[in-house]
Amino acid sequence: QVQLVESGGGLVQPGESLRLSCAASGISFDRYAMAWYRQAPGKQRELVASITSDGTTNYADFVKGRFTISRDNAKNTVYLQMNSLKPEDTAVYYCSGNRNVLGRLLNYWGQGTQVTVSS
């Protein structure tokens, strides 16, 4: 059974930091590209950051220089370090893993963790 379990969300003030974690089980984690998405109330889900199986990273423009995605294959975990948080970063953050196997896309999602940035 595949599980992606996010943790680390919470309520913080503007300018503060949070680190989200996503622990994966039931997959060959080191072969998956991993990503963080977010969805704010009334808005579509959007890509925040991604990291390939070989560690190449990509960021949405609105988080460049503030957020860092990383992975620890030994722990089957992907992280999102979020610094200088802004109220507009408030959203549910989701972890996603995907892998293309012989033309078939395998894609899994976590249940999400709430991040609220407010004074």
Side-chain angles (χ1 to χ4, degrees), residues 3 6 8 21 28 40-41 43-44 56-58 63 68 75-76 80 87 92 94 100 118:
Q3 280 192 311
E6 300 99 334
S21 299
S28 299
K43 295 188 177 181
Q44 289 191 331
T56 301
T57 58
N58 184 57
V63 301
T68 303
K75 296 183 178 180
N76 288 358
L80 185 68
V92 177
Y94 297 91
N100 190 308
S118 174

Side-chain angles (χ1 to χ4, degrees), residues 1-2 6 10 12 20-21 34 54 61-62 68 74 79 82 87 89-91 99 102 106 108 112 118:
Q1 181 183 2
V2 178
E6 300 99 334
V12 296
L20 305 184
S21 299
M34 302 300 296
D54 65 1
D61 286 344
F62 52 78
T68 303
Y79 303 98
M82 306 186 294
D89 294 319
T90 295
R99 179 187 175 194
L102 299 176
L106 304 178
Y108 302 102
S118 174

Side-chain angles (χ1 to χ4, degrees), residues 41-95:
K43 295 188 177 181
Q44 289 191 331
R45 192 172 296 189
E46 58 186 358
L47 176 66
V48 175
S50 63
I51 184 167
T52 64
S53 57
D54 65 1
T56 301
T57 58
N58 184 57
Y59 297 92
D61 286 344
F62 52 78
V63 301
K64 281 183 180 177
R66 299 190 298 125
F67 292 10
T68 303
I69 189 171
S70 61
R71 64 190 298 158
D72 184 338
N73 290 340
K75 296 183 178 180
N76 288 358
T77 301
V78 61
Y79 303 98
L80 185 68
Q81 177 67 43
M82 306 186 294
N83 298 330
S84 302
L85 282 161
K86 304 175 182 180
E88 51 263 45
D89 294 319
T90 295
V92 177
Y93 284 71
Y94 297 91
C95 170

Side-chain angles (χ1 to χ4, degrees), residues 31-45:
R31 300 186 181 187
Y32 276 71
M34 302 300 296
W36 288 96
Y37 288 77
R38 71 185 187 186
Q39 188 167 20
K43 295 188 177 181
Q44 289 191 331
R45 192 172 296 189

